Amino acid sequence: MAALKLVKQNKMFGGWVKQFKHASTATQTEMTFSVFLPKESESGNVPVLYYLSGLTCTDENFTTKAGAQRAAAAAGIALVAPDTSPRGAGVEGEDDGWDFGTGAGFYVNATTNKFSTNYNMYDYVTKELPTLVNAELPIDNARKGVFGHSMGGHGALICALKNPGMFKSASAFSPICHPSKCPWGEKAFTGYLGENKSAWSAYDATDLAPKYHGPKLNILCDQGADDQFYKDKQLLPEDFVEACKSNSNIDLQMRMQDGYDHSYYFIATFVEDHIKFHSKFL
């Protein structure tokens, strides 16, 4: 297993924010992730929340902007924030736009020829990274949840829906709920998964929700009513709400928040709610 290389660390709320790099087998590149370890981790393993970021982000956007560490410290929960894609893979076209390629891995395992070697973020966040974190850090792998924002909200939802019991809870801020039917998702899925749309449903939360079978999955979603991407039909939360209605194994709270947009101001406002929500299940 690849060794973790500590890049930097800062004490915060009695615990530590740390950034690590490591060689990844899933992406065949060096990957970076950030963690917050609460004080309780000094004396034993602690539960963990994985946070998946949105388009253009790195591991540091959530760590430096969301203000989540205060609530995580109070709850004794660790936070793990991976990057959003491989970087420097050298794939033709990966840096041509902000919504595909670098910074926009969409948490899928790519199957198209150009991207299949490196763009395997689904395996990275569900297999490689948790295995590495569990082996190298004071984390209780049996008590983990997942949350995210926008593209990362999509990632959080599909990771929970595709792996019954892996995550005790899931939540999202303004997630891309139906990527097969929105411009962002159509572009990404075509590039990573190909033109055959039947393959897309395996990474679409709205398609996965009716098929979910497993332990009760509790999901909290917050959506800003003044989010321009919501108005532009990139997010489609109503589709996900409708899809969950037919599945008694999913308990979804979808909250519309008046006046809020798509930014980290919105996330910072409600991140404590999300950590308290997850703490009930971890």
Side-chain angles (χ1 to χ4, degrees):
M1 180 175 292
L4 291 182
K5 180 167 60 178
L6 180 65
V7 178
K8 59 184 177 180
Q9 60 181 350
N10 299 91
K11 192 161 188 177
M12 191 176 191
F13 298 116
W16 290 91
V17 173
K18 300 187 179 189
Q19 186 184 58
F20 294 101
K21 290 183 181 292
H22 70 99
S24 168
T25 56
T27 68
Q28 298 295 303
T29 64
E30 185 175 67
M31 293 295 290
T32 305
F33 68 95
S34 292
V35 303
F36 170 71
L37 295 172
K39 185 174 179 62
E40 289 84 348
S41 68
E42 295 174 5
S43 56
N45 291 346
V46 295
V48 61
L49 280 175
Y50 285 84
Y51 179 88
L52 307 182
S53 288
L55 292 165
T56 76
C57 291
T58 70
D59 61 297
E60 291 195 287
N61 292 73
F62 174 75
T63 303
T64 60
K65 293 182 177 181
Q69 293 90 350
R70 183 191 297 273
I77 294 174
L79 302 170
V80 176
D83 204 347
T84 53
S85 76
R87 295 188 186 264
V91 180
E92 180 188 0
E94 68 178 352
D95 296 320
D96 288 353
W98 61 271
D99 56 355
F100 180 78
T102 302
F106 261 84
Y107 304 103
V108 303
N109 287 339
T111 56
T112 54
N113 288 338
K114 282 204 303 184
F115 291 95
S116 61
T117 297
N118 306 107
Y119 280 75
N120 297 301
M121 289 301 294
Y122 175 76
D123 274 357
Y124 180 71
V125 299
T126 61
K127 296 177 182 178
E128 183 176 13
L129 182 60
T131 299
L132 184 60
V133 164
N134 189 47
E136 300 290 333
L137 298 174
I139 297 299
D140 182 353
N141 191 53
R143 292 188 293 160
K144 62 178 181 286
V146 63
F147 64 151
H149 171 232
S150 193
M151 176 186 73
H154 142 78
L157 295 177
I158 66 167
C159 287
L161 290 166
K162 287 169 70 67
N163 298 280
M166 178 181 289
F167 299 100
K168 301 295 186 184
S169 50
S171 72
F173 304 93
S174 28
I176 301 173
C177 290
H178 202 174
S180 297
K181 299 296 184 181
C182 76
W184 278 340
E186 289 172 354
K187 177 179 179 178
F189 284 4
T190 300
Y192 294 134
L193 304 174
E195 300 282 352
N196 183 1
K197 294 186 177 182
S198 64
W200 298 4
S201 62
Y203 294 103
D204 189 314
T206 294
D207 292 338
L208 290 167
K211 305 171 187 175
Y212 174 82
H213 295 289
K216 173 79 78 171
L217 179 59
N218 294 277
I219 303 173
L220 171 64
C221 291
D222 278 312
Q223 173 61 60
D226 280 2
D227 183 334
Q228 189 59 50
F229 299 121
Y230 168 63
K231 295 177 181 179
D232 291 342
K233 306 296 185 183
Q234 292 281 19
L235 308 176
L236 304 174
E238 293 86 358
D239 292 1
F240 186 58
V241 170
E242 193 62 31
C244 290
K245 285 180 179 178
S246 63
N247 195 331
S248 61
N249 288 323
I250 298 175
D251 185 354
L252 170 67
Q253 300 177 60
M254 179 69 74
R255 309 191 304 187
M256 296 299 296
Q257 303 292 358
D258 289 342
Y260 287 92
D261 59 18
H262 200 73
S263 71
Y264 267 87
Y265 296 110
F266 164 62
I267 296 170
T269 302
F270 297 103
V271 71
E272 183 175 2
D273 283 1
H274 283 241
I275 290 172
K276 287 181 175 179
F277 166 79
H278 286 281
S279 71
K280 295 185 295 185
F281 308 103
L282 301 179

